[in-house]
Amino acid sequence: MRKILKMKIGVIGTGLIGGSIALKLKEKNFTNFVYGIDQNEENLNKALELDIIDQKADLENGIRNSDLIIISVPVDSAKKILPDILDLINEKQIVMDVGSTKSGIVDSIKNHPKRKRFVAFHPMWGTENSGPNAATKDSFTGKAAVICNKEESDENALEIVEKVIETLEMHPIYMNADAHDIHTAYISHISHITSYALANTVLEKEREEDTIFQLASSGFSSTVRLAKSHPEMWVPIFRQNKENVLDVLNEHITQLRKFKSALEKENFDYLEELIRNANKIRGILDK
């Protein structure tokens, strides 16, 4: 890969993901100037204070002055503004997003004359926290970076995004947008629904909050951690990936019913069988 000269970057959405990317790219001298674009003035001011961005900008000026534009807003918003952003760029600028769903994003600009200047990207990392205060420069190290429909992007645009991935110390994976959305439904989106449902179950059954706090083990805390994730981010993800999420959710409900049936019928041999089968996941995750 040829040497990439320092680029001016415009980050649309200066929260957890956008902020973390900006911090790492600045530390590694991929960029020496970052424009922050955000409807949340408090986030912009905090990002400026934390040296995540170098200057606040409105959408039009931020895009005009950036070589690379990174869209880091909820997927519904990304889908809505992406065509407008492509309208504003020239033939040398590059646009990438960081959304957790991809089919809706790529479909929204499939006939756009500047489609090839866009690269669909999903860094496989996130936390239940949000905002510039949650940003951290080493978040992505060792994680997977998914690029979708790479054949629909210009070669030099793809090369720049691959350099971003290298600078973030991630490893690239290439796949079709539809396949990406199916896989993320299974490995990410269902985990959040399960966590939200568990949190609601406990809150419904355990009215004394002090008891929850006193008895909560690390197992409970890790399982329910995702329930702290904000609906502003996750409702759009579930909306965009509804069919795939429903498919995996139906299977998850089927599996829960198996555990329920085993307990109701006191079929503890079957319960053990279900648990032993679940243990096979260790061989996959521990590779």
Side-chain angles (χ1 to χ4, degrees), residues 149-161:
N149 298 25
K150 71 173 186 176
E151 69 282 355
E152 296 174 13
S153 302
D154 280 335
E155 186 176 336
N156 70 324
L158 182 62
E159 183 181 9
I160 294 295
V161 174

Side-chain angles (χ1 to χ4, degrees), residues 207-274:
R207 298 295 185 179
E208 297 180 21
E209 293 185 14
D210 286 345
T211 306
I212 297 176
F213 179 76
Q214 292 168 10
L215 297 181
S217 65
S218 59
F220 174 79
S221 297
S222 61
T223 304
V224 83
R225 174 181 63 85
L226 297 177
K228 294 183 279 185
S229 301
H230 287 254
E232 291 83 1
M233 176 181 178
W234 279 95
V235 170
I237 289 172
F238 296 144
R239 182 186 295 119
Q240 291 286 330
N241 207 21
K242 182 186 75 170
E243 297 305 323
N244 290 321
V245 171
L246 281 173
D247 178 58
V248 65
L249 184 58
N250 284 330
E251 178 59 34
H252 186 48
I253 291 169
T254 297
Q255 294 299 325
L256 288 173
R257 284 176 176 152
K258 289 179 181 180
F259 279 88
K260 181 173 181 285
S261 176
L263 284 168
E264 286 175 339
K265 297 176 181 178
E266 298 188 357
N267 189 344
F268 298 112
D269 289 338
Y270 182 46
L271 187 63
E272 180 178 342
E273 181 183 330
L274 290 171

Side-chain angles (χ1 to χ4, degrees), residues 9-10 16 25 36 39 44 56 59 91 97 112 129 138 143 160 165 171 180 192 195 218 226 243-245 262 277 285:
I9 295 176
L16 173 69
L25 295 185
Q39 290 184 330
L44 279 176
K56 298 188 288 185
L59 185 67
E91 296 298 330
D97 78 315
H112 197 285
N129 301 313
D138 293 321
K143 303 295 191 301
I160 294 295
I165 289 170
H171 59 274
H180 166 275
H192 281 78
S195 188
S218 59
L226 297 177
E243 297 305 323
N244 290 321
V245 171
N277 187 68
L285 297 179

Side-chain angles (χ1 to χ4, degrees), residues 25 76 78 117 164 191:
L25 295 185
D76 276 0
R117 303 312 299 165
V164 169
S191 301

Side-chain angles (χ1 to χ4, degrees), residues 2-267:
R2 64 183 175 84
K3 181 178 175 63
I4 305 293
L5 298 176
K6 287 183 182 178
M7 311 186 81
K8 288 186 177 180
I9 295 176
V11 176
I12 304 173
T14 54
L16 173 69
I17 302 296
S20 295
I21 291 175
L23 283 173
K24 188 68 170 184
L25 295 185
K26 290 179 76 173
E27 182 198 47
K28 292 293 187 178
N29 292 315
F30 182 94
T31 181
N32 57 6
F33 201 92
V34 176
Y35 292 98
I37 305 160
D38 203 313
Q39 290 184 330
N40 187 322
E41 191 70 20
E42 186 177 336
N43 276 0
L44 279 176
N45 290 332
K46 179 55 70 172
L48 198 58
E49 177 188 327
L50 295 173
D51 200 31
I52 292 172
I53 63 173
D54 298 290
Q55 184 177 315
K56 298 188 288 185
D58 60 35
L59 185 67
E60 188 170 340
N61 286 317
I63 290 171
R64 181 185 296 118
N65 292 296
S66 298
D67 302 301
L68 172 66
I69 297 100
I70 302 173
I71 305 173
S72 183
V73 296
V75 290
D76 276 0
S77 298
K79 181 180 175 181
K80 182 178 179 180
I81 67 172
L82 179 56
D84 297 331
I85 292 170
L86 291 181
D87 287 341
L88 292 170
I89 66 170
N90 60 43
E91 296 298 330
K92 293 184 178 179
Q93 290 173 289
I94 300 144
V95 181
M96 60 189 289
D97 78 315
V98 300
S100 183
T101 63
K102 283 287 167 274
S103 294
I105 295 284
V106 298
D107 285 348
S108 72
I109 43 97
K110 63 181 179 181
N111 296 318
H112 197 285
K114 295 176 186 171
R115 164 65 182 90
K116 287 186 172 293
R117 303 312 299 165
F118 171 71
V119 179
F121 168 65
H122 180 201
M124 298 301 295
W125 174 82
T127 76
E128 70 277 16
N129 301 313
S130 62
N133 280 321
T136 170
K137 59 183 173 61
D138 293 321
S139 350
F140 304 104
T141 301
K143 303 295 191 301
V146 182
I147 291 178
C148 290
N149 298 25
K150 71 173 186 176
E151 69 282 355
E152 296 174 13
S153 302
D154 280 335
E155 186 176 336
N156 70 324
L158 182 62
E159 183 181 9
I160 294 295
V161 174
E162 288 172 333
K163 186 62 179 178
V164 169
I165 289 170
E166 179 185 314
T167 306
L168 294 175
E169 300 175 349
M170 306 182 79
H171 59 274
I173 296 175
Y174 303 90
M175 63 175 60
N176 173 273
D178 292 336
H180 166 275
D181 288 0
I182 291 170
H183 295 316
T184 52
Y186 276 85
I187 65 170
S188 173
H189 304 168
I190 189 62
S191 301
H192 281 78
I193 286 182
T194 301
S195 188
Y196 291 131
L198 177 59
N200 285 338
T201 300
V202 172
L203 290 170
E204 185 65 29
K205 286 294 187 181
E206 179 56 86
R207 298 295 185 179
E208 297 180 21
E209 293 185 14
D210 286 345
T211 306
I212 297 176
F213 179 76
Q214 292 168 10
L215 297 181
S217 65
S218 59
F220 174 79
S221 297
S222 61
T223 304
V224 83
R225 174 181 63 85
L226 297 177
K228 294 183 279 185
S229 301
H230 287 254
E232 291 83 1
M233 176 181 178
W234 279 95
V235 170
I237 289 172
F238 296 144
R239 182 186 295 119
Q240 291 286 330
N241 207 21
K242 182 186 75 170
E243 297 305 323
N244 290 321
V245 171
L246 281 173
D247 178 58
V248 65
L249 184 58
N250 284 330
E251 178 59 34
H252 186 48
I253 291 169
T254 297
Q255 294 299 325
L256 288 173
R257 284 176 176 152
K258 289 179 181 180
F259 279 88
K260 181 173 181 285
S261 176
L263 284 168
E264 286 175 339
K265 297 176 181 178
E266 298 188 357
N267 189 344

